[in-house]
Amino acid sequence: MALEFSLDPPVGPVLRDGILGLWTDVSNADGAVGFVPPVSPEDVRPELVRHLVAMAEGRARLLVGRDADGEVAAAAFLTFNAHRLMRHWIWLYTVMVHPRHQGKGYGRQLLAAAADAARGMSGITAIRLTCRGGAGLERFYASCGYKEVGRVPDAIQVSDGDYRDDITMLLPLV
C-alpha cells in the first residue's frame, strides 16, 4: 500500500500531535532523528516548534505521508538555504517513517516524494541531507540515488564513548 503524501499541509493540532508522536516513536525505536532514546513528547516538542517556526517564516516546507487510516506514517522537512550562493539546493531534515511501517517501502516513497517536491521548486537542482553513521543509513540513501559527498568521523556523540560519523549525502535533481 502506498502512502498519500502532501506538501505544506495545514498544521493544526491533529497534524502537529501526529508529527510529534511520529518523531517520539521513531526516536524511541533508535531512529537517527536528533535524539537518543528514551525520549518523551516533551523532549521532542521544542525541536518540532523550531521546525514549525521555520515553516511559518518560509524557510522550510513540510512533507507528510499518511497511511490508509489517515494517520501520520512518514514526514520530512525540506529547508531552504539562506546563503545567496547556495539557494540552488535544499536540505532534507528529520526524515522519518513510523517504526510500525518499517520494511514496507515507505522510506523510499518518502524520498521519492521529497525529490518530486524539490523538482517542483523553482531553481532547486539538488537535495542534501546528513545521516548518522553506524546504522547503515548511508547504504539506504545510496540505494535511493543519493551519493556520499562528505564524512566527518566521530562528529556525533550518541553516548559516553559512542561516537558516530556525520555523513553528508547528495541527490542531484537534474
Side-chain angles (χ1 to χ4, degrees):
M1 160 122 342
L3 295 180
E4 183 177 321
F5 288 95
S6 56
L7 181 64
D8 303 323
V11 179
V14 172
L15 179 56
R16 180 201 62 218
D17 292 347
I19 295 168
L20 183 62
L22 169 66
W23 202 336
T24 302
D25 291 346
V26 168
S27 296
N28 284 325
D30 207 23
V33 288
F35 296 93
V36 176
V39 297
S40 71
E42 294 314 310
D43 296 322
V44 176
R45 187 178 312 278
E47 193 61 31
L48 175 57
V49 168
R50 280 189 276 282
H51 280 67
L52 296 176
V53 167
M55 289 168 49
E57 294 174 348
R59 296 182 290 114
R61 298 180 73 179
L62 172 62
L63 179 64
V64 173
R66 290 184 169 86
D67 63 19
D69 297 324
E71 299 293 322
V72 175
F77 293 89
L78 295 87
T79 303
F80 298 102
N81 287 295
H83 194 284
R84 67 189 159 279
L85 300 179
M86 296 184 190
R87 291 189 182 138
H88 62 287
W89 58 269
I90 59 171
W91 285 104
L92 188 60
Y93 285 123
T94 320
V95 177
M96 303 179 284
V97 173
H98 197 280
R100 74 175 170 267
H101 293 301
Q102 296 292 319
K104 297 179 181 178
Y106 290 173
R108 289 183 189 287
Q109 290 178 29
L110 177 60
L111 291 176
D116 288 344
R119 284 185 185 97
M121 297 176 193
S122 179
I124 301 300
T125 62
I127 300 173
R128 280 175 60 177
L129 61 79
T130 61
C131 62
R132 181 189 305 168
L137 294 171
E138 65 272 31
R139 288 189 301 279
F140 168 71
Y141 288 117
S143 75
C144 294
Y146 285 77
K147 178 182 176 184
E148 183 176 328
V149 294
R151 182 181 290 250
V152 180
D154 297 337
I156 301 169
Q157 184 178 6
V158 177
S159 64
D160 288 341
D162 185 357
Y163 294 88
R164 309 287 178 87
D165 293 356
D166 184 19
I167 304 164
T168 302
M169 308 288 293
L170 178 75
L171 178 69
L173 297 173
V174 290

